[in-house]
Amino acid sequence: MAPRRPKGAGAFPKPVENPAPNPPDPSELYAALDLGTNSCRMLIAQPKGSQFHVVDSFSKSVQLGSGLERSGRLSRSSMQRTIQAMRICQQKLKRHKVRQMRLVATEACRRATNARGFVQQVQRETGLKLEIIEPEEEARLAVISCAPLVSTRTDQLLVVDIGGGSTELVWIDLTSVPHRDRPKAIMRLHAGFHPPQSPFPAAKVVDWISVPLGVATLRDQFQDVEDDAARFALMSWFFEESLAEFAPYADEQAREGFQIVGTSGTVTTVAASHLGLKRYDRTKVDGLRMTSDQIDKVIRGYLELGPDGRRKDPRIGQDRQALIMSGSAILQALLRCWPTDRLSVADRGLREGLLYAQMSKDGVLEDGPF
């Protein structure tokens, strides 16, 4: 379960999408489905200016990776739960007459020995064709989804996507890009790395890594440790060990000009807890900036609550309480390595990246950073 990355640090090996021969009508709907280790999530959206407008959405915890650590296979019950969720997605796609779509699966399906058979079963029973994407494409899609949150003052950017089965980290150097163009330079990564003759200023991917530890897989590895605080410390230490070969790991990073963008349920839950929200509000969470000290205070509060207290805490929620400490362990490890006063919370990720990539490829977004 070693972290994966391309042999040469820097450019991603291939573009996210192949060019479309016939650009569709700008009013046409697009869909993006992300089947992860823990959740099945879908967005249906329409291009609107340089962004998109969400028409419909779906999200359900299916726990596809349940038991995967032990058996190396997707269980029959987890596959059945997932197929039920995919049927609902299929009904939504049919109702909205969506033709432009991309439906992807990530770490659980990358690792499971019976994933190919599962993908075939999904197509037989729902008519939906799942695509298992590689870690580098997952990382790029997460990066471009976060482009609107990148500060024009950011010189060094770390984008972190904490998933259910894996965590992707991408380190980007923006120092050669004019300040006003820095968010645009991030968005342009949808088409792969720019050739030297590109007229646009390029964001330089210094290094990236996919660690096969997410909130579900990390929790499963340490579920036999009974003491809550000890389990948390072990998870955080174990994740930090997995970052040892990440190129910027050993370099001390000044807080000035450095930004982390975190995208995951863990990061948004920590933000909601910091704000004291009793009901989750995306408009207050997405784009919020937090310091290392503020995040550490929230995590220490989770530990003080203990398992029973976290289960009852409305800020965490029933769906998230079982995974919040493994996610917090990952987040704490990252902040030990790279303390920051600018961790931007992103309530966005793979689905949004898929939508941006499809729409950018088809040229249906107006004069945005594409």
Side-chain angles (χ1 to χ4, degrees), residues 15-27:
V16 172
E17 302 272 1
N18 292 323
N22 298 309
D25 185 333
S27 65

Side-chain angles (χ1 to χ4, degrees), residues 223-281:
Q223 61 184 359
D224 58 334
V225 180
E226 293 185 6
D227 184 80
D228 189 49
R231 182 170 58 250
F232 174 79
L234 286 168
M235 288 191 296
S236 190
W237 167 83
F238 188 68
F239 184 84
E240 186 175 345
E241 288 289 296
S242 301
L243 300 175
E245 294 184 6
F246 189 47
Y249 179 82
D251 299 334
E252 184 174 348
Q253 182 61 49
R255 292 193 180 198
E256 186 65 30
F258 173 59
Q259 181 182 7
I260 299 179
V261 177
T263 170
S264 70
T266 294
V267 180
T268 56
T269 300
V270 167
S273 295
H274 167 66
L275 293 172
L277 301 181
K278 293 187 177 178
R279 182 183 294 274
Y280 186 80
D281 186 341

Side-chain angles (χ1 to χ4, degrees), residues 136-159:
E136 58 263 30
E137 183 170 9
E138 182 178 359
R140 188 192 297 117
L141 290 165
V143 166
I144 65 173
S145 75
C146 296
L149 302 182
V150 176
S151 169
T152 56
R153 302 192 306 276
T154 296
D155 297 322
Q156 302 293 327
L157 174 69
L158 175 63
V159 178

Side-chain angles (χ1 to χ4, degrees), residues 39-51:
S39 301
C40 175
R41 310 197 320 150
M42 184 180 73
L43 286 178
I44 297 174
Q46 184 176 37
K48 186 176 183 181
S50 62
Q51 301 290 320

